[in-house]
Each structure stands twice: as C-alpha cells, then as structure tokens.
Amino acid sequence: MKKGVATMADIKKIEKKPLANRDLPQSTYEALLRGESMNSDKIALRFFLQGDDYADQLFYTYKDMIGLVNQTANMFHGLGVRKDDVVSMILPNLPQSFFTIWGGEAAGIVNPINPLLEPNVIADIMNAAGTKVLVSLAPFPTTDIWEKVASVADQVPTLETILQVDLNNYLPTIHRLAVRFIKFRGGKGPSVRAQVLDFGKAAYRYPAESLISDREIKGDDIASYFHTGGTTGTPKLARHTHFNEVYDAWAAAQFLNMSADKVLFCGLPLFHVNGVIVTGMLPFMHGSSVVLGTAQGYRGGIIPNYLSIVEHYQINFFSGVPTVYSSLLSIPLEEQDISSLEFAVCGAAPMPAEVFRNFEDQTGVRILEGYGLTEGTCISSINPPFGERRIGSIGFRLPYQEMKVIRLADDGAFEEECAVDEIGVIIVRGPNVFSGYTEEAHNRDAWVDTGDGQGPWLNTGDLGRQDAEGYFWLTGRKKELIIRGGHNIDPRLIEDTLIEHPAVSLAAAVGRPDAHAGELPVAYVQLQPEAEATEESLLTYAQEHIGERAAVPKAIHIVDEVPQTAVGKIFKPYLVQLETEDVFSQAVGEVDGVSSVEVSVGPHKLYGIAADVQVTPDPTVDSKALEETIQHALGQYAVHYQLTIR
C-alpha cells in the first residue's frame, strides 16, 4: 500500500505507535537540520521576483539555507535576542522571510505581521508582542512598508533595532540604479529612534557554521506569536511552541506520500500559518524543495503564468484558497505539461463545489480540502489523498490529534457529545493546539472542559458535524450566523446556492440590521469574467433555489470585487459595515427636520462595530427634540452609535 492516508483505519494504524516513540525533532531548528542531513547539496529554496519572468531564479541549497538561518539567528543573538525576546517581521514573501522565521525561532520568538495592516494596528501588535528587533523592508518606490514602519516605530518602546531588507538587491543592474536614483532624489526619509541596520550586511558578519548561543531548544519553548482575529482592541497573539509547529508539519505529511524528491510551491503569504507550515516547515523537514513565487505571492503575476511555472519547476504540491482555484480556472491549459502535479491543498475558506469539480476536470489534479486555524498551529484535518475525497468535507482529523463535535450550554459549558451527523461546535485537542494567547483575557472563552480528565479542549468556534465514516463537515461559524427573528440562518446556505449560478464567481451573505427581525439576509456577489447577470435575476434565482424561505436574501448586490483578506478569505465585517451605514442613513434620513446625515461605521474596541452619525438639522427645528427623535429611531437597532447634531 502507498504511504499515506486513505481511510480512518490508516490514521488509527499510525497511532498504534506512541507519538513519543517517533523520535520527532523537538524544535523547528532541529527539523531543518534533519532536512539538510538528507542531502545538503540539494536545492532547498528557489525564488523568482516576477511571475512573467519565472525562469529568472535565485536558489539556495540546504547547506546555503542552514548557513543563512545560522547567520540570521546569530545576528539576532548579537543584538540581544534571547529565548523570550521577540523578533517581529513585516516583509513580503522573500528568502529573507524564511531566514527570519527560522532564525528568529532559533534565537527567540518570531512574530510575523501582515504588511497590509494599518500602521496603528502594526504598532498595537508590536506592543502586545514586546518587539525587541524588527525585520522589515528598506524604502522602495513601489511599497509603503517602510513608511508604515517609520510612522509608528517610536510608539513601540521595547523596539531597539530595525533590520532593513533591500528589495532593490533582487533587481537587474539597470533597474537597481534607477531605484537608487529615485531614493537619492527622495532624500533619507523619516528617522526613527531605534538603530537601523542593513539585514544582509549585518548578518554577513556572523558565523554560518552553527549557533553561537549554544541554546538547547525544548519542545515546549515558545517559537512564534501569530496574530489572529480582528484588528480592534488588544491584538490576539497565538503562542506556538516549537513542537506545535514540528508536529503539525509532520502529521500533515503523514497524509501525503511525502519524500525528499518533492517540489512544493509557496504562494500564500509568510505572515500566515499556511505559508509557514504547509509550504515551509513541512517540505523543509523532509528534505524537499520549495519554490517561492514573487514577493506578492499569488498576487505577483503568478496566476496567468502558473501552468508554465508548474511545468518549468516540476511542482508536485501547492496550497491555495478557493479564490486561487477559481482564478486558475480562467487560464486555459494549452501545451503545458502539468503531469508533475499530484495534489492541491485548499483551506482558509470553504471550496465551492462547482470550482472543485471544474478544476479537477480541467487539470486532473486532486484537491485536498482541509481545515485548520491559527490556534491549532495550521492544519487540524484534511481529506485523504489516497481515499475518497468528499466534496465539501474537511476530511479526517490528523493522527494523534483529537477532534469532536459537542453541544454547549448557553454559558459555554460542555453539555454532551453530538451524535453522528448532528451539528454542534467543533473542538480539538492535541500536540498542535497552541499554548494560549499572550493576553490572558483572550483565553477565558478559548477552552472547553469535557470532564474526561485528559485536559481542556480548544473551542474552535466553528459549527460542524462528523459523519459515520469519520469525515468532518463545517456548517458555519457561530459569529457569522444571521439571526432573523430568533431563527439562525447559516450564510453558507445562501452562498452555496448563489455560487452554483453560472454567472457567479464569489458570494458572501451577511445580516442587515432590521428594526423588526434583528437581521435580514443580504448577499454580495462577484461575477465571472465577462459574465452577465442582473441583481433582479439573481434574486429570482435565489428565491427558486434556496429551500429555506427565511434564508432568501432581501437584496443581492453585484460588486466588482467581493472584499477579501490578504490570504483570500472573504472579509465580511466590511460588508456588515456597509449594510449598517445604509440602514442608519435611511432611518435618520426619514426623520422630519433632518437636512443631511453622514454615517460612518467601523470597528470598535468594546462593541465590535459602532456607528458615527453626524446630522445637520433644518434651521427651524428644535435640535433637542430632533435628537430625541433620532435616538428613538436608532434605538431599534442592536448597533452602538455616537450621535452628533451639528
């Protein structure tokens, strides 16, 4: 039988040998050394800067990479980073991103940060982490990363050193000179309190042969802080131990026929656990090769050239989100040979069934839908590559990781396990489950005690079920449920129906505040390229195909792009804000005596979202009476607001 998973019996067979007897590396650094020991001269990492120039590559052997990780870790150590000190990273996808991640974990704790976040959020994350050293981009004409960093660096009192990675070093000579000229014309730019060093020059001064710290890294040492959740209030930083990351990568590889001759493509951002674990630690600890495609990942011109990239580098696996797959469907397979592709992993969001079928039909590549969360390091379940892959399912749990569906009481306490195919809350427990958030207040609702005496479980907050064969299925997320008059509506019921319409590419359903029902469902859709449809025709389609009357959306809006996060998840909070702004504008606009109204809805630290309502009254109106009337109108909605009569 092939090495890999086909049924739940294969997982149980793996588990017959205790995990403690499997001699797994105790740290990510040790895992990298094991990968190198298989063949130090093998190419570990390839990088190309532009999708339409994918053959112009820079490559590193395992010996090269370990040397650069050592130099990076030694540089951090020389800058005072010790076991519990934090190295934050605000970089696009570059080789230095990997060196920083693994070198940062070898020296202390690494904290990857999304470069697309607003400066104030970046500052909040670094303050929550207690950042001592920051690795970021040097000023570069086409990015604003340095400008963001410089604008908030002095707001982080623990920050001592900033190491700049110069993107200009990857450009051809003539372009490099042009960029230097632009930089010269622009001056030095803003200054910061922390010392600023060149990453490459500083690291070069340190030895590449071994770690100078002589640190003995233990499995339960903290390796990383990953930001998760929203962008308001105290940032939620998930603490991963070294063994969390090593185990999760190893366990996920048990599903696959992983070996040193495999080539994986990394296109997801390296501030996210999927890019770091699935297309980073997993291949590196097995001596495989990684192709890192452009600083912007899939957004850097990869999609139009992807089939040629697969052929050129003989890629075997890649990981993506549903939007990547739907985009790839628009690229015709011509004369490219993509027979090297074995599997494609899909996570972060549910895969529409039509996209799943069409992609497999067009490419012959097997899609493995999986499930995971930052608090579970990355992967918690995945469909069996050598067995039945059930469309819409998130597959089997990882070996040695427990996963079940339970019913919770209103106060969050455990009631009982759910029966087969009964929907409840998914909980997980095992070696990949994080050691908690850095802020203790965030841990209060994170855990569930089932009373089995084996320790607490992580409450994922996701709703799902498990079928008789052990496959798990997501049915929604508690906080995304649309509650209409006390009736819970799963937005996927709406979205899955709309996505089946031939003109629809993406769909997102959210609740619109309603004075009577609390919320009413509405939907936003993005059409397929060159497809035509009207909002009225889509609404008729929904009325005819959605089996639950309460779930039929009250309105459907066609938009150029459904908003998404940097990793391809649909960003529903923004859509909720749009609906709330519209509802409040209408409610206030209908009040007699209102000359004009401006409503702005955004995140709020205490209330989730809040509305700022600015009203200009008619000159002849009693402002006090008008204020009371507006307060009565807005008081019918469960949304916090601040009213100003101008």
Side-chain angles (χ1 to χ4, degrees):
M1 186 183 96
K2 255 189 175 181
K3 218 175 169 183
V5 170
T7 66
M8 270 300 299
D10 293 327
I11 293 177
K12 293 177 180 178
K13 183 178 179 181
I14 293 172
E15 292 173 333
K16 286 183 178 180
K17 182 175 183 178
L19 183 62
N21 295 344
R22 289 201 170 271
D23 189 33
L24 294 188
Q26 291 300 296
S27 69
T28 56
Y29 182 73
E30 183 185 349
L32 292 176
L33 293 180
R34 290 202 188 181
E36 183 206 19
S37 69
M38 298 177 190
N39 185 351
S40 63
D41 292 328
K42 181 183 174 166
I43 293 177
L45 178 65
R46 301 176 188 268
F47 172 72
F48 57 86
L49 187 62
Q50 297 177 322
D52 56 1
D53 196 14
Y54 55 84
D56 185 12
Q57 60 170 304
L58 182 70
F59 65 84
Y60 305 83
T61 66
Y62 267 91
K63 182 179 180 180
D64 296 333
M65 186 175 73
I66 293 298
L68 287 160
V69 169
N70 283 336
Q71 287 183 310
T72 303
N74 291 335
M75 172 178 62
F76 292 149
H77 184 78
L79 292 171
V81 174
R82 298 299 182 263
K83 171 176 170 288
D84 297 320
D85 291 320
V86 175
V87 176
S88 290
M89 179 186 85
I90 308 175
L91 286 177
N93 281 13
L94 297 171
Q96 288 88 348
S97 303
F98 274 131
F99 307 153
T100 297
I101 290 167
W102 310 128
E105 293 188 356
I109 300 169
V110 77
N111 167 227
I113 299 175
N114 181 354
L116 300 180
L117 293 174
E118 292 301 315
N120 64 309
V121 179
I122 290 173
D124 286 345
I125 293 172
M126 287 197 289
N127 278 317
T131 301
K132 190 169 191 175
V133 174
L134 172 65
V135 181
S136 190
L137 275 189
F140 193 78
T142 59
T143 77
D144 63 352
I145 291 179
W146 173 249
E147 285 72 15
K148 286 183 178 181
V149 168
S151 70
V152 299
D154 290 350
Q155 299 174 28
V156 185
T158 58
L159 181 60
E160 298 178 1
T161 304
I162 300 175
L163 295 158
Q164 292 183 333
V165 175
D166 194 349
L167 194 58
N168 199 30
N169 293 333
Y170 289 101
L171 298 180
T173 302
I174 189 168
H175 293 153
R176 198 178 304 168
L177 293 173
V179 169
R180 286 177 181 171
F181 177 74
I182 293 172
K183 286 183 180 181
F184 176 77
R185 290 285 300 271
K188 292 184 178 180
S191 61
V192 296
R193 173 187 51 79
Q195 71 166 335
V196 179
L197 304 174
D198 180 273
F199 181 99
K201 291 178 181 177
Y204 184 74
R205 294 197 289 265
Y206 288 88
E209 293 74 28
S210 61
L211 298 180
I212 62 176
S213 66
D214 293 325
R215 177 187 174 191
E216 181 183 351
I217 308 174
K218 299 178 181 178
D220 58 1
D221 285 350
I222 301 300
S224 58
Y225 292 160
F226 276 89
H227 178 239
T228 183
T231 57
T232 60
T234 305
K236 293 175 72 174
L237 298 180
R239 298 178 300 189
H240 291 168
T241 68
H242 277 268
F243 195 70
N244 283 155
E245 296 188 351
V246 169
Y247 160 78
D248 202 65
W250 174 85
Q254 301 312 296
F255 275 73
L256 307 168
N257 188 22
M258 182 56 62
S259 58
D261 62 346
K262 302 300 182 184
V263 180
L264 283 76
F265 181 80
C266 178
L268 293 176
L270 291 176
F271 61 78
H272 190 267
V273 290
N274 195 310
V276 173
I277 302 299
V278 177
T279 47
M281 178 48 58
L282 189 156
F284 288 142
M285 71 185 295
H286 289 87
S288 307
S289 294
V290 173
V291 176
L292 184 64
T294 85
Q296 297 81 29
Y298 285 112
R299 299 169 183 262
I302 292 295
I303 298 298
N305 300 286
Y306 191 65
L307 300 178
S308 298
I309 292 169
V310 169
E311 180 181 43
H312 182 79
Y313 290 103
Q314 291 295 286
I315 291 169
N316 304 112
F317 306 116
F318 71 95
S319 182
V321 295
T323 51
V324 168
Y325 293 93
S326 60
S327 298
L328 287 174
L329 282 174
S330 64
I331 308 302
L333 178 60
E334 296 172 341
E335 296 181 358
Q336 302 97 334
D337 179 6
I338 62 169
S339 58
S340 62
L341 270 181
E342 298 176 42
F343 305 113
V345 178
C346 180
M351 167 75 86
E354 288 303 305
V355 174
F356 187 106
R357 294 191 186 96
N358 290 339
F359 186 85
E360 290 202 343
D361 288 345
Q362 288 189 24
T363 65
V365 178
R366 290 171 285 180
I367 295 177
L368 305 178
E369 290 184 90
Y371 166 78
L373 62 167
T374 304
E375 293 83 350
T377 302
C378 183
I379 293 180
S380 282
S381 68
I382 191 169
N383 265 271
F386 303 108
E388 180 185 0
R389 292 165 297 112
R390 298 186 176 179
I391 299 177
S393 164
I394 56 173
F396 300 140
R397 63 172 176 81
L398 295 184
Y400 303 104
Q401 179 215 247
E402 299 172 272
M403 187 169 178
K404 64 172 63 175
V405 182
I406 65 168
R407 189 181 304 116
L408 294 176
D410 291 340
D411 63 358
F414 170 74
E415 283 191 340
E416 61 181 345
E417 291 188 31
C418 290
V420 171
D421 282 330
E422 180 184 359
I423 293 175
V425 176
I426 295 177
I427 59 175
V428 294
R429 182 171 66 185
N432 56 333
V433 174
F434 78 148
S435 59
Y437 301 106
T438 57
E439 182 72 29
E440 191 55 39
H442 293 145
N443 292 315
R444 291 171 189 157
D445 300 323
W447 309 100
V448 175
D449 186 356
T450 62
D452 64 359
Q454 302 300 310
W457 297 69
L458 173 67
N459 180 355
T460 69
D462 287 310
L463 302 176
R465 61 184 174 85
Q466 185 179 24
D467 64 24
E469 288 73 40
Y471 290 81
F472 284 89
W473 303 76
L474 291 182
T475 60
R477 184 162 177 83
K478 268 191 167 181
K479 68 180 182 182
E480 287 184 358
L481 289 177
I482 301 168
I483 305 176
R484 178 178 183 176
H487 179 71
N488 291 345
I489 299 171
D490 184 351
R492 285 195 63 188
L493 178 63
I494 303 168
E495 295 159 356
D496 288 353
T497 300
L498 289 173
I499 204 71
E500 291 176 358
H501 190 287
V504 174
S505 172
L506 291 174
V510 296
R512 175 184 174 90
D514 183 76
H516 174 67
E519 288 182 323
L520 293 174
V522 297
Y524 287 75
V525 301
Q526 177 179 323
L527 299 182
Q528 298 279 6
E530 301 182 3
E532 294 183 359
T534 64
E535 293 175 351
E536 292 75 18
S537 67
L538 292 177
L539 190 55
T540 299
Y541 178 87
Q543 292 168 343
E544 294 173 349
H545 291 82
I546 294 178
E548 185 177 342
R549 287 185 59 191
V552 175
K554 285 295 180 181
I556 294 178
H557 307 292
I558 296 176
V559 293
D560 291 336
E561 290 185 351
V562 172
Q564 300 172 48
T565 67
V567 295
K569 289 185 179 180
I570 293 175
F571 189 59
K572 291 187 177 181
Y574 176 73
L575 302 179
V576 173
Q577 292 171 22
L578 289 181
E579 290 298 318
T580 306
E581 287 178 0
D582 186 56
V583 167
F584 272 34
S585 296
Q586 288 187 23
V588 177
E590 291 172 359
V591 174
D592 290 337
V594 172
S595 175
S596 66
V597 57
E598 295 178 9
V599 180
S600 175
V601 178
H604 192 282
K605 290 184 178 180
L606 295 178
Y607 303 103
I609 66 167
D612 179 36
V613 183
Q614 305 279 335
V615 174
T616 301
D618 291 335
T620 58
V621 171
D622 181 347
S623 295
K624 184 65 175 176
L626 179 64
E627 183 177 357
E628 292 177 356
T629 303
I630 294 174
Q631 287 176 340
H632 175 73
L634 297 182
Q636 301 178 70
Y637 302 94
V639 178
H640 184 78
Y641 68 91
Q642 177 68 44
L643 174 62
T644 303
I645 306 294
R646 295 184 292 203

